[in-house]
Amino acid sequence: MSDPTPRIPLLQRWPDAFVARYRAAGHWRGETFPGFLRERASRCAHSIAVVGGDTRWTYAQLWTEAERIAAGLLAQGLAPGDRVVVQLGNVPEFIAVVSALFRAQLVPVYALPAHRLTEVAHFARKAEACAYVCAERYEAFDYRALARQLQAEVPAMRHVFVVGDAAEFVSIAALDGARDALPGDPDPQSVAFLQISGGSTGLSKLIPRTHDDYIYSFRASNDLCGIGADSVYMVALPAAHNFPMSSPGFFGALYAGARVVLSPGPGPDAAFPLVARERVTCVGLVPPLALLWADAAGKTAFDLSSLQVLQVGGAKLVPEAARRVVAGLGCRLQQVFGMAEGLVNYTRLDDPDELVLTTQGRPISDDDEVLVVDDHGAPVADGEIGHLLTRGPYTIRGYHNDDAANTRSFTDDGFYRTGDMVQRLPSGHLIVQGRATDHINRAGEKISAEEIEDHLLAHPQVFDAAVVSIPDDFLGERSCAFVIPGDTTPRPAELKAWVRGRGLAAFKVPDQIVFVDAFGTTAVGKISRRELRAQLRARFLDEQKDAG
Ligand code: OOB
């Protein structure tokens, strides 16, 4: 059978010389998702692969489920190469469904459970997807209602598959089909899935990851995070995030033949009983959750002594918070500074404490090229702050179907402009010092200021709006919208309800709304939105200091 899976367009592929180099180095081994999952199903057939809710699947059972669903999807009329938006929470079916998509050479597009119609419709259009997989209900939200709206808005979305009661749609549990209709394994260089970007400017972009590049990233992560067949890895953050997916994530754990435990929520209440019962050895958290866990650990009756490595990433963990986390949980801390576009940095498990507490780690690979440059692109000396640019064996060379973003976000020679400002130490460890783009990092969820401003501007009583990040003791950053009202001033609650009503994830609703008469008092002539946001933020923080 010819290979139907999407290839990355020529301009955004790794050039041949890099392909040769990454292969010669043994990073890209020609492995594929269905290939390794099938192999584990035979080698680790009776080991427990996935635990969640009442389900405990062995590796053999997971593969059987994946093949059943894969065959069923093809029997329903999907064809290899089709894109499928997957919006599932931390349930075993998440892993079975994506394994099935890989098996059938269908391409998952990962939405978070928090995403709502506007976002899911955007992913569907951008990916030209024809199918949507959702849960009947997750965290009290009925996704079948969203599916109906989605089909009305995106006619190309022909198929809806539901985990749980499917109503008029097709139930995942009922799928079945001929196994001999399943395709062979895909080209390792083809696109395995599309991941969602944090969305630093405007709407989220889609990130094409190949089998070769992604498998390398979690195989290499396993070594650096101490994951082996005896490990028990907990998914506490939403499973669709890159961090719990691949750093080392549940895919790393499955690659190692380890056990994956899905926690229904990220907080101590949901997670601690499972840590104790399953003897969890490794978990990844964002900084506010790590602090919650550390505080709760001193008071809980649950036995957390199995925890060996607590990973913290997604947002900056300041040294003082790092000390509290270590004191509270008593296990090894590992800082993780990564991005869905590729590059992931880890502090090493045997790094001196000082580096673990004060840096965000160093790249996975010797072939990760890291540049720290000034505003004009000239390299800065070690220890100085500059823009982080990177390219390497698991960092994309371009977004899916987005020429404008590609021109902005990649240099001519293929470096990704991360938007992060960092300091590099002579050891190669990076310290994240802020960022050059205007997004809000709200407890690890990235919110584009521009996207929220656009939604606020659509309100009839908003004359102008600027959204900025404000430091927050718990979240790290919260969002604050400065709004110049129109003829009458709406109530803040009304504006928040407006943003939510536009079909957006709840985490994007501004935490705070401040009405102002005008913007940019010190500005002469036209200033950029970036400068404007910076001025508003500075003025607000000054006023708070004076008031406090
Ligand atoms: C992870 O991925 P994304 O794509 O949601 O967000 C990437 C951005 C980075 O560019 C940086 O601005 C920020 O999140 N970030 C951190 C950080 N980890 C991520 N900023 C400071 N300190 C850290 N430790 O967030 C992600 C992907 C894979 C592994 C871990 C995190």
Side-chain angles (χ1 to χ4, degrees):
M1 181 186 281
S2 65
D3 173 35
T5 46
R7 299 274 309 192
I8 295 181
L10 205 54
L11 278 175
Q12 285 129 39
R13 277 185 216 161
W14 286 269
D16 290 345
F18 286 86
V19 174
R21 170 171 155 192
Y22 300 152
R23 283 187 177 148
H27 305 326
W28 292 0
R29 297 184 184 168
E31 293 175 297
T32 66
F33 278 93
F36 95 74
L37 289 165
R38 179 189 301 107
E39 197 279 337
R40 297 306 176 273
S42 102
R43 184 152 58 92
C44 318
H46 304 295
S47 313
I48 298 291
V50 179
V51 176
D54 298 328
T55 302
R56 296 179 87 74
W57 282 327
T58 62
Y59 274 85
Q61 286 171 320
L62 171 62
W63 184 245
T64 302
E65 270 296 280
E67 291 217 302
R68 175 186 65 77
I69 298 169
L73 291 169
L74 296 184
Q76 289 286 322
L78 273 69
D82 284 348
R83 269 80 62 209
V84 180
V85 176
V86 179
Q87 188 173 33
L88 293 171
N90 289 6
V91 293
E93 289 83 355
F94 184 102
I95 297 179
V97 165
V98 301
S99 302
L101 295 175
F102 294 143
R103 177 66 188 91
Q105 293 198 17
L106 298 161
V107 180
V109 183
Y110 298 124
L112 295 171
H115 285 134
R116 293 294 178 262
L117 179 63
T118 303
E119 291 137 338
V120 179
H122 168 68
F123 306 150
R125 284 197 197 95
K126 196 84 188 156
E128 297 174 286
C130 67
Y132 173 59
V133 182
C134 64
E136 165 199 345
R137 191 171 278 286
Y138 189 73
E139 288 176 343
F141 182 77
D142 186 343
Y143 289 87
R144 294 166 307 185
L146 197 158
R148 288 177 197 116
Q149 295 170 309
L150 182 64
Q151 283 196 308
E153 200 161 297
V154 185
M157 192 54 98
R158 293 189 304 280
H159 306 271
V160 174
F161 303 99
V162 179
V163 172
D165 176 358
E168 73 270 34
F169 304 117
V170 178
S171 158
I172 287 284
L175 287 174
D176 214 344
R179 306 296 189 273
D180 57 10
L182 288 169
D185 285 349
D187 176 351
Q189 302 262 310
S190 65
V191 177
F193 61 85
L194 294 167
Q195 180 63 285
I196 306 298
S197 79
S200 50
T201 42
L203 300 173
S204 290
K205 298 171 285 285
L206 300 183
I207 298 169
R209 301 292 302 254
T210 64
H211 297 265
D212 255 342
D213 92 77
Y214 208 62
I215 291 175
Y216 169 51
S217 80
F218 57 75
R219 187 182 65 231
S221 293
N222 279 349
D223 288 342
L224 305 178
C225 308
I227 297 292
D230 296 333
S231 301
V232 182
Y233 177 83
M234 172 175 271
V235 181
L237 298 170
H241 268 300
N242 202 57
F243 180 15
M245 189 177 284
S246 66
S247 304
F250 63 84
F251 279 134
L254 293 176
Y255 189 90
R259 178 175 305 183
V260 175
V261 176
L262 295 151
S263 178
D269 289 355
F272 282 9
L274 279 170
V275 172
R277 192 185 82 195
E278 300 295 331
R279 308 291 299 155
V280 170
T281 61
C282 178
V283 61
L285 298 173
V286 291
L289 282 169
L291 288 169
L292 271 186
W293 279 48
D295 287 344
K299 303 168 200 146
T300 186
F302 289 105
D303 176 7
L304 308 178
S305 62
S306 57
L307 272 179
Q308 293 165 6
V309 178
L310 177 80
Q311 303 181 293
V312 183
K316 173 89 178 241
L317 182 70
V318 294
E320 195 38 48
R323 284 191 189 91
R324 271 174 55 200
V325 168
V326 170
L329 282 154
C331 59
R332 194 72 187 139
L333 169 69
Q334 177 169 56
Q335 296 217 35
V336 188
F337 162 40
M339 51 210 71
E341 284 81 354
L343 181 71
V344 180
N345 304 274
Y346 295 107
T347 55
R348 302 307 196 247
L349 297 178
D350 58 0
D351 270 344
D353 288 348
E354 190 57 19
L355 282 176
V356 174
L357 294 170
T358 60
T359 79
Q360 279 64 60
R362 61 186 173 85
I364 290 179
S365 178
D366 287 343
D367 277 317
D368 281 319
E369 298 171 70
V370 161
L371 295 177
V372 185
V373 301
D374 65 19
D375 289 347
H376 310 289
V380 303
D382 279 350
E384 282 179 26
I385 298 176
H387 300 266
L388 171 64
L389 274 58
T390 186
R391 70 180 180 192
Y394 59 96
T395 297
I396 58 164
R397 295 287 185 130
Y399 291 106
H400 174 78
N401 184 14
D402 206 330
D403 291 343
N406 289 340
T407 307
R408 246 191 344 259
S409 302
F410 296 85
T411 65
D412 290 343
D413 48 1
F415 280 86
Y416 168 56
R417 300 180 202 275
T418 67
D420 293 313
M421 306 295 297
V422 302
Q423 239 175 326
R424 182 173 42 193
L425 306 182
S427 63
H429 288 71
L430 302 175
I431 301 176
V432 180
Q433 294 289 9
R435 61 176 168 268
T437 55
D438 276 341
H439 67 248
I440 296 100
N441 188 339
R442 188 181 189 278
E445 298 292 4
K446 320 303 184 300
I447 306 164
S448 148
E450 195 180 296
E451 182 185 356
I452 308 311
E453 288 165 2
D454 280 348
H455 287 290
L456 286 167
L457 281 168
H459 189 282
Q461 290 309 325
V462 171
F463 176 72
D464 203 354
V467 176
V468 308
S469 66
I470 301 286
D472 184 278
D473 284 345
F474 179 63
L475 297 167
E477 291 178 10
R478 65 176 187 271
S479 61
C480 179
F482 293 91
V483 172
I484 304 178
D487 299 340
T488 54
T489 304
R491 284 177 301 115
E494 196 182 321
L495 279 187
K496 290 186 187 185
W498 168 264
V499 173
R500 193 183 291 251
R502 303 272 296 173
L504 297 183
F507 66 77
K508 292 187 187 169
V509 174
D511 293 299
Q512 194 174 1
I513 292 181
V514 176
F515 292 103
V516 291
D517 294 334
F519 289 158
T521 48
T522 57
V524 182
K526 252 183 169 248
I527 59 167
S528 71
R529 295 298 291 181
R530 223 182 115 57
E531 266 173 83
L532 170 64
R533 294 185 191 111
Q535 283 185 8
L536 286 165
R537 182 189 299 113
R539 204 165 73 198
F540 178 84
L541 294 175
D542 271 356
E543 282 168 13
Q544 271 197 331
K545 221 184 308 153
D546 293 346

